[in-house]
Amino acid sequence: MNSTQITCFLEVAKSLSFVRAAETLYTTQPVISYQIKSLESELQVQLFTRNNRNVALTAAGEYLYAHMEPVSQEIREIIGVVREIQKEERPGIRLLVRRLVDYSCLTRTLKVFSDNYPLVQVDILTHSEQRTRDLLTANEVQLAFGYGYEVCGNPRLSFLALDHAGYYVLVNRQHRLSAYKYLTFEDLEGENLIVSNTELQKNTQLISMNELKRQKITVCQQYPSFDSMLLAVEAGVGFTVLPCGKAKKFSGLIKIPLKNVLPAQLGLAWVCGSGQEGSVVRQFVDTAAQCHGISLQPGPS
């Protein structure tokens, strides 16, 4: 007696119709009939009487249904609890991905990791106004893919460089700078700089911002969010400077390379510590290193 036979029996006993049972179970009437006949043959008991119009339970069928239905319900509830326990026990990683970065160097890592560790759930968070280092140290996320300067200087955090991002000037299509194929700091002198009150542009190690100050290019406006800053640039209020992936596009804006600026490192950041060998975080980091041909030293003990 298998689960398919029991399911078919219970549904026919409930509806007293092979046709309705087939519709409920998304199958065909011959399949239902075959399962019932197989069950009756195995038990050597007739469970239904049937003619051209009616289906009825025999006394044996009524007894089996009366005792099997509550057992079946209990089994379904047990299976539901087991699945919930599995969800809670399933290892997972919360991975923060900054919106400006080029994801291409991360996609292969995600695919290989998913193939090698299919039971590990990777939840990707794509935006947060909170500082990356704060999210990591508070265990709000276990990994972050973003800029190296976001986490440097914190002894609790490790960083694996995988790629780099150049700096670009963003202007709208009518701005005089939009005709340039590339720009230098000298070309920006006298232009209106717009920034946002975000981690990206508040970071003291953002080389382009320091250089802009040295070039006496002043901030004309500071907006509370990244999106409001981009909206102001699109409206023609001024320009902004960002490190981002080469393939990254901004609707309604022209992106022009800024020369003579060291690129920003892109990579994975995580909290270093003891007992990390074999953890899902270290497995993800090791997978990323292997995908990029990087030799990693063993984690701290």
Side-chain angles (χ1 to χ4, degrees):
M1 185 166 56
N2 58 47
S3 60
T4 302
Q5 292 171 335
I6 294 171
T7 300
C8 291
F9 166 73
L10 292 174
E11 194 56 46
V12 174
K14 179 181 178 181
S15 63
L16 295 179
S17 170
F18 282 66
V19 173
R20 285 196 293 273
E23 291 173 350
T24 301
L25 298 176
Y26 300 99
T27 186
T28 62
Q29 182 177 346
V31 170
I32 298 294
S33 297
Y34 172 79
Q35 295 296 336
I36 297 299
K37 287 180 181 178
S38 297
L39 179 59
E40 290 178 326
S41 176
E42 183 176 336
L43 297 178
Q44 297 183 350
V45 172
Q46 184 178 358
L47 300 171
F48 297 97
T49 59
R50 41 199 179 272
N51 54 39
N52 292 335
R53 293 186 177 181
N54 298 312
V55 175
L57 283 163
T58 65
E62 289 179 354
Y63 182 88
L64 183 63
Y65 178 66
H67 289 80
M68 187 61 73
E69 175 59 24
V71 171
S72 177
Q73 176 62 32
E74 185 176 356
I75 290 173
R76 288 194 293 269
E77 291 174 358
I78 291 171
I79 291 173
V81 172
V82 168
R83 286 174 175 168
E84 288 301 317
I85 292 173
Q86 172 67 22
K87 286 181 181 178
E88 293 177 3
E89 291 181 343
R90 185 180 182 184
I93 299 173
R94 290 188 298 275
L95 169 63
L96 174 67
V97 179
R98 286 302 186 188
R99 62 191 299 177
L100 291 178
V101 299
D102 183 353
Y103 307 140
S104 60
C105 70
L106 185 63
T107 51
R108 173 166 170 73
T109 297
L110 287 167
K111 176 63 169 62
V112 173
F113 183 82
S114 176
D115 291 342
N116 292 340
Y117 304 97
L119 295 181
V120 179
Q121 175 73 31
V122 180
D123 295 323
I124 300 176
L125 312 176
T126 57
H127 181 65
S128 175
E129 294 295 342
Q130 290 180 263
R131 298 202 321 167
T132 300
R133 64 180 63 192
D134 293 340
L135 291 169
L136 285 167
T137 54
N139 200 36
E140 293 292 327
V141 298
Q142 287 75 52
L143 281 167
F145 181 72
Y147 302 104
Y149 60 72
E150 294 179 287
V151 298
C152 66
N154 189 319
R156 292 186 59 194
L157 301 178
S158 296
F159 182 77
L160 174 65
L162 300 174
D163 202 352
H164 63 272
Y167 285 89
Y168 293 85
V169 174
L170 271 62
V171 294
N172 74 0
R173 299 181 185 279
Q174 289 73 46
H175 199 282
R176 76 167 188 88
L177 296 175
S178 65
Y180 285 71
K181 291 185 177 180
Y182 67 88
L183 292 164
T184 64
F185 287 113
E186 288 77 13
D187 298 319
L188 303 177
E189 188 174 352
E191 298 292 340
N192 293 328
L193 172 64
I194 299 173
V195 296
S196 60
N197 187 29
T198 61
E199 175 182 10
L200 179 66
Q201 295 190 310
K202 288 191 294 186
N203 196 291
T204 58
Q205 297 196 39
L206 193 59
I207 300 174
S208 61
M209 288 301 162
N210 291 334
E211 183 63 25
L212 287 169
K213 291 177 181 178
R214 285 194 291 271
Q215 294 287 342
K216 298 181 180 179
I217 300 172
T218 58
V219 176
C220 71
Q221 290 196 48
Q222 179 171 308
Y223 287 82
S225 70
F226 185 83
D227 291 324
S228 59
M229 177 194 71
L230 290 183
L231 183 61
V233 174
E234 187 176 356
V237 176
F239 76 95
T240 195
V241 178
L242 295 171
C244 59
K246 185 177 181 180
K248 180 68 179 179
K249 295 183 179 179
F250 299 89
S251 177
L253 299 178
I254 302 294
K255 189 178 73 172
I256 309 164
L258 183 61
K259 297 295 184 179
N260 304 322
V261 181
L262 292 175
Q265 284 188 322
L266 284 176
L268 286 171
W270 68 99
V271 176
C272 55
S274 60
Q276 209 174 63
E277 293 301 318
S279 70
V280 290
V281 170
R282 186 58 193 231
Q283 287 165 348
F284 192 95
V285 172
D286 289 343
T287 300
Q290 292 166 9
C291 288
H292 291 81
I294 300 171
S295 178
L296 277 182
Q297 296 296 323
S301 59

